[in-house]
């Protein structure tokens, strides 16, 4: 299944169950809650981490569909940008080259 179809199915499921499709502030907050649930599941070594990550992804693609954004296209563009970036190690942390003078390297 392609990401575009997943995005549309996530949105259609929201409509089918009368879930929110207009209040983006609420959607971002609910997605944030799912991130917290995934982190807690990982931290406590529960076996549902994958399911919690899927919840995050479904909120993300749902938001993209609400906004009329092709998440697939945006991911491809961002991958291309990230692959071309150069990083320097500052205090053991990779920092994007040129970012705030490489954090005063």
């Amino acid at each position: 299944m392609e990401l575009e179809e997943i995005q549309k199915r996530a949105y259609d499921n929201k409509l089918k169950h009368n879930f929110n499709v207009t209040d983006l502030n609420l959607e971002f907050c609910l997605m944030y809650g799912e991130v917290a649930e995934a982190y807690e599941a990982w931290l406590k070594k529960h076996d549902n981490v994958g399911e919690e990550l899927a919840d995050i992804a479904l909120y993300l693609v749902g938001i993209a569909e609400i906004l009329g954004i092709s998440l697939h296209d945006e991911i491809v563009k961002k991958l291309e940008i990230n692959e071309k970036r150069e990083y320097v190690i500052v205090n053991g942390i990779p920092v994007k080259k040129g970012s705030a003078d490489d954090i005063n390297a």
Side-chain angles (χ1 to χ4, degrees):
M1 184 180 308
E2 298 293 323
L3 186 55
E4 290 90 352
E5 184 180 349
I6 293 169
Q7 187 171 313
K8 178 79 169 109
R9 282 182 64 183
Y11 180 80
D12 288 346
N13 188 61
K14 285 181 176 294
L15 293 176
K16 176 182 175 184
H17 295 290
N18 295 311
F19 293 157
N20 172 60
V21 292
T22 58
D23 184 345
L24 285 167
N25 185 59
L26 176 60
E27 288 300 289
F28 277 107
C29 288
L30 291 170
M31 185 172 63
Y32 181 77
E34 294 298 338
V35 171
E37 288 179 17
Y39 176 68
E40 183 176 359
W42 172 79
L43 193 63
K44 294 181 177 181
K45 300 183 182 357
H46 292 168
D47 61 357
N48 66 331
V49 176
E51 183 178 343
E52 295 300 341
L53 291 174
D55 284 341
I56 297 165
L58 289 171
Y59 269 99
L60 182 62
V61 297
I63 291 169
E65 187 69 15
I66 290 167
L67 292 172
I69 294 170
S70 168
L71 196 55
H72 172 270
D73 292 349
E74 294 300 325
I75 290 171
V76 170
K77 283 193 283 188
K78 190 62 177 183
L79 279 170
E80 291 170 357
I81 290 168
N82 287 348
E83 289 167 349
K84 293 175 185 173
R85 283 192 174 147
E86 294 183 34
Y87 293 85
V88 294
I89 303 299
V90 178
N91 298 323
I93 300 170
V95 175
K96 188 169 40 173
K97 197 168 186 178
S99 294
D101 298 323
D102 300 330
I103 313 294
N104 303 316

